[in-house]
Amino acid sequence: MSVKPPPAVAVSEDGGPPPAAAKPALRARAWQGIRAAGAARFPGVEGRIPNFVGAEAAAARLAATPVWQAARVLKCNPDSPQRPVRHQALKDGKIVYLAVPKLRSERPFLRLDPAVLGPGQLWAASSVKGATALGEPVTVEEVEPIDLVVTGCVACGRRGARLGKGGGYSDLEFALLRAAARLHPEVPVVTTVHDSQLWPADSLPMAAHDVPFDWIATATELVETRRRLPRPRGIHWDRLSPEQIAQMPCVARLQPRPPGG
């Protein structure tokens, strides 16, 4: 089935991508695009990383890439559209780490090891509920070095730009693992999306804290972005309030001390 291209998006005066202030409108446009394509799946699209028809085929396409096959340890988002990715990883014998909601724990990651799980538990463990029940909570320091990062999105550009749902936790998890030396700065970052979520190269804004993609897989296409967008170098503390930091002890430990503090 052919997919109509996304509606035209506004660009900045210099012809570049739209400003960050346009992100809410771009998210609404992306969610509408999935509905218009007849690709929305339970539990809906608005306000979330949208589940989509074809998620299994996109996961299979991703699993055929060299970066997937070379990876032993994955960090993956917990959202519904990437459940087939998590299941495939476990079937392939890969260790999968998921972050707990909003990092509000001294042990902010769940470790799923197929060598520990029974074969009949792999599908259950690939769900959020199953991962919570079957996964092993670990500290940041206990996370093994990550070979591949899987991140969901609301929309993405062909140069690797990522539009998330607005919470900022995916980028913070990346920065946290990098700050703890659990994640190499050059680790590949990948996603699976519906064709309608894959937008033209310069249609999405990227802020300094945003983590771009290296590979994008849909049910019909595989895009290698060739890392044309910069990555954040650390935690952007100016984006976090004191209250947020206090609720994330694993992040609070890394906060720089003020001079003389």
Side-chain angles (χ1 to χ4, degrees):
M1 180 184 68
S2 62
V3 178
K4 293 182 179 179
V9 294
V11 298
S12 61
E13 292 182 2
D14 62 2
K23 284 185 175 182
L26 293 170
R27 290 186 188 100
R29 190 168 291 148
W31 290 323
Q32 174 57 30
I34 295 177
R35 288 199 307 271
R41 268 182 174 173
F42 179 85
V45 295
E46 276 84 6
R48 65 181 74 246
I49 303 298
N51 199 4
F52 61 91
V53 174
E56 295 83 2
R61 192 172 294 275
L62 175 62
T65 62
V67 290
W68 175 275
Q69 295 168 4
R72 187 185 71 87
V73 182
L74 277 65
K75 184 268 180 188
C76 191
N77 62 305
D79 302 281
S80 296
Q82 280 70 50
R83 185 178 184 183
V85 177
R86 299 190 295 273
H87 187 219
Q88 185 65 51
L90 294 173
K91 289 195 298 180
D92 288 350
K94 303 180 190 296
I95 293 171
V96 178
Y97 287 94
L98 279 70
V100 303
K102 299 184 178 180
L103 296 172
R104 291 182 179 178
S105 172
E106 288 281 1
R107 297 180 179 273
F109 291 95
L110 297 171
R111 184 179 189 268
L112 297 171
D113 184 350
V116 175
L117 300 168
Q121 295 178 305
L122 300 186
W123 175 245
S126 67
S127 71
V128 174
K129 182 178 180 180
T132 302
L134 299 170
E136 175 191 3
V138 296
T139 65
V140 176
E141 293 75 19
E142 291 171 327
V143 172
E144 296 168 70
I146 302 296
D147 300 316
L148 184 67
V149 174
V150 182
T151 303
C153 66
V154 174
C156 54
R158 288 183 174 272
R159 292 181 61 209
R162 175 183 181 269
L163 179 67
K165 63 183 178 182
Y169 287 99
S170 177
D171 300 320
L172 180 58
E173 291 159 15
F174 183 95
L176 172 63
L177 289 168
R178 181 171 176 179
R182 301 292 86 196
L183 184 152
H184 191 276
E186 299 302 311
V187 67
V189 180
V190 303
T191 193
T192 54
V193 294
H194 186 261
D195 289 289
S196 66
Q197 293 174 269
L198 179 55
W199 289 15
D202 294 319
S203 57
L204 294 171
M206 283 288 284
H209 61 270
D210 290 329
V211 179
F213 293 121
D214 296 293
W215 294 81
I216 301 166
T218 78
T220 65
E221 187 177 1
L222 181 66
V223 176
E224 183 180 4
T225 70
R226 302 189 186 279
R227 188 77 60 82
R228 287 178 284 180
L229 296 171
R231 289 184 168 188
R233 295 185 176 182
I235 297 173
H236 285 252
W237 296 101
D238 57 321
R239 299 187 67 246
L240 301 173
S241 69
E243 292 75 20
Q244 286 177 304
I245 295 172
Q247 292 171 346
M248 298 182 290
C250 57
V251 174
R253 289 199 300 270
L254 298 175
Q255 187 175 21
R257 294 181 178 273

